[in-house]
Amino acid sequence: MRVAFFVNSIEDETPNFSTTALALAALGRGHEICYVTPSDFVLRADDSLSVWGRTLPVSSYKKTETLHKDLVGDKAETRMFDIGEIDVLFLRNDPSLDANDRPWAANIGVIFGRMAAQRGTLVVNDPDGLAQAQNKLYFQDFPASVRPTTLISKNIKEIRDFIDGQKKGAIVKPLQGSGGKNVFKVASPKDANLNQIFEAVSGEGYLIAQAYMPEATEGDVRFFMMNGRPLMRDGKYAAFRRVPAKGEIRSNVHVGGGPAPVEVTDTMLAIAETVRPKLIQDGMFLVGLDIVGEKVLEINVFTPGGLNNLSQMYDTNFAETVITALEEKVAIRQAYGRRLANRELATL
């Protein structure tokens, strides 16, 4: 099969990205891959959809570093594909990275992904599901039992009143965004920095204020779900703890958070079971839950990262398990044609 990975830009890809690990696993299983960016789609007057894809030379790649070097180097070539030549379009872009500088690009994956699905290409995660998840309001549709106490507002008085009701303080962050950008801990509504924090974050739109959870000092757990179930391979769960750097409240790996092995608990599995029905309903094939204590802080449905960390940590190739699942879906699509909707097939 041919798998197209839709990313923000090829220049910003790195060997450590989960997308690179997935591409390596696909090549290792004998599939063809290409990388697609927001400017690569072409919808013609006859309603045919094509896409420019950056392809790699036929080679037996063993390391993500080698794959990435060829991807961004002279060995890769760009060619046009009819969308019918793409078996799987894997949407792996982060819309928030394009929201300010390239707002036209932020939703392109969802828009053309929907068109690709209508033409018979398997698109994961389902573009209609992703359209609902363009910001963190999507999280509010999940059961309250797994969500921290939360306020969403642009009103400073509302936010002060909310923080005043949180004995352990609150976390304030933008409604739209990712990667731990502009995330602040506020101890009380009298915090001298609250006005500055409000000005910095509210410039990006609505704010989220969440009750602070002391367990967050130990970091959060990135817990992968696939097809609405915990992602497993060789009896191991695809989960790891992200430990914050000293003096840092954010546990994101790219801001110094250190990945560490974690023992999956019954509480984590219960949380996974609680969010499972909606993930399946929305066609969310591969997602990452960020768990602290008995709550989920975020659900990453666009670019859940950490597959490389997991492979090194547990000596288990979870990326290959993801590709195997896609193979099964393509086989189902070939057997059933379009009698199964893309959203249904995405989580079968």
Side-chain angles (χ1 to χ4, degrees):
M1 66 182 183
R2 180 177 288 117
V3 183
F5 295 96
F6 179 77
V7 297
N8 293 78
S9 72
I10 291 172
E11 294 74 21
D12 291 333
E13 292 296 296
T14 77
N16 294 324
F17 279 3
S18 291
T19 303
T20 318
L22 290 165
L24 182 69
L27 288 169
R29 291 189 61 80
H31 305 303
E32 296 180 39
I33 69 161
C34 64
Y35 276 66
V36 176
T37 67
S39 60
D40 290 334
F41 292 96
V42 180
L43 182 65
R44 295 193 171 85
D46 63 358
D47 209 35
S48 64
L49 181 63
S50 299
V51 65
W52 290 98
R54 189 164 178 83
T55 64
L56 289 165
V58 176
S59 176
S60 263
Y61 292 100
K62 302 296 182 185
K63 297 181 179 180
T64 55
E65 290 81 4
T66 310
L67 186 156
H68 176 262
K69 180 181 177 182
D70 284 356
L71 176 69
V72 299
D74 296 334
K75 291 186 178 181
E77 81 174 277
T78 301
R79 54 167 290 204
M80 180 168 281
F81 298 94
D82 180 85
I83 201 64
E85 299 178 88
I86 304 295
D87 296 292
V88 180
L89 176 58
F90 207 148
L91 301 179
R92 293 280 306 170
N93 71 309
D94 182 347
S96 68
L97 296 181
D98 284 323
N100 292 327
D101 296 334
R102 298 194 306 170
W104 62 267
N107 300 326
I108 285 295
V110 166
I111 293 169
F112 282 107
R114 185 181 292 120
M115 292 182 179
Q118 291 168 348
R119 288 159 175 77
T121 297
L122 171 64
V123 183
V124 290
N125 290 341
D126 181 73
D128 287 326
L130 289 177
Q132 301 178 47
Q134 294 288 344
N135 58 53
K136 295 182 178 71
L137 269 176
Y138 176 69
F139 186 38
Q140 300 304 114
D141 290 335
F142 287 84
S145 62
V146 300
R147 292 187 276 114
T149 304
T150 301
L151 169 77
I152 297 175
S153 176
K154 268 184 70 69
N155 185 294
I156 185 66
K157 182 180 183 304
E158 291 275 358
I159 293 169
R160 286 188 185 279
D161 290 346
F162 176 85
I163 296 171
D164 193 35
Q166 309 305 315
K167 295 181 180 179
K168 298 174 182 177
I171 295 293
V172 178
K173 56 187 176 181
L175 179 62
Q176 292 184 294
S178 65
K181 180 182 177 183
N182 284 338
V183 177
F184 301 93
K185 181 178 183 295
V186 181
S188 82
K190 298 179 182 179
D191 192 311
N193 293 325
L194 183 56
N195 283 335
Q196 291 92 324
I197 291 172
F198 178 79
E199 290 175 9
V201 183
S202 64
E204 299 184 25
Y206 273 79
L207 283 73
I208 297 179
Q210 285 182 336
Y212 177 69
M213 302 177 65
E215 301 98 322
T217 57
E218 300 175 4
D220 62 12
V221 173
R222 169 56 58 87
F223 189 101
F224 277 89
M225 302 274 286
M226 185 180 77
N227 289 331
R229 302 283 185 183
L231 173 57
M232 296 187 69
R233 183 180 174 95
D234 302 329
K236 301 171 184 176
Y237 289 99
F240 65 97
R241 185 175 295 282
R242 303 188 299 179
V243 183
K246 186 176 180 180
E248 178 64 74
I249 62 169
R250 301 169 297 173
S251 54
N252 307 74
V253 172
H254 78 273
V255 293
V262 67
E263 182 177 344
V264 171
T265 65
D266 289 342
T267 297
M268 295 176 196
L269 295 177
I271 289 172
E273 182 63 21
T274 299
V275 302
R276 178 178 67 83
K278 182 162 178 57
L279 294 178
I280 291 176
Q281 181 188 48
D282 293 343
M284 298 300 185
F285 166 63
L286 183 68
V287 307
L289 310 181
D290 294 341
I291 300 174
V292 171
E294 299 179 350
K295 305 292 183 180
V296 179
L297 295 189
E298 289 190 23
I299 298 182
N300 189 320
V301 299
F302 283 96
T303 55
L307 290 178
N308 262 354
N309 293 324
L310 285 164
S311 296
Q312 297 166 10
M313 206 175 296
Y314 301 126
D315 193 26
T316 301
N317 193 346
F318 291 102
E320 186 174 48
T321 301
V322 175
I323 299 301
T324 302
L326 293 177
E327 294 171 2
E328 294 169 355
K329 294 178 192 298
V330 169
I332 294 171
R333 168 55 55 84
Q334 290 171 347
Y336 279 84
R338 301 188 193 181
R339 290 190 289 274
L340 290 175
N342 187 83
R343 186 178 294 200
E344 295 172 315
L345 185 56
T347 48
L348 273 179

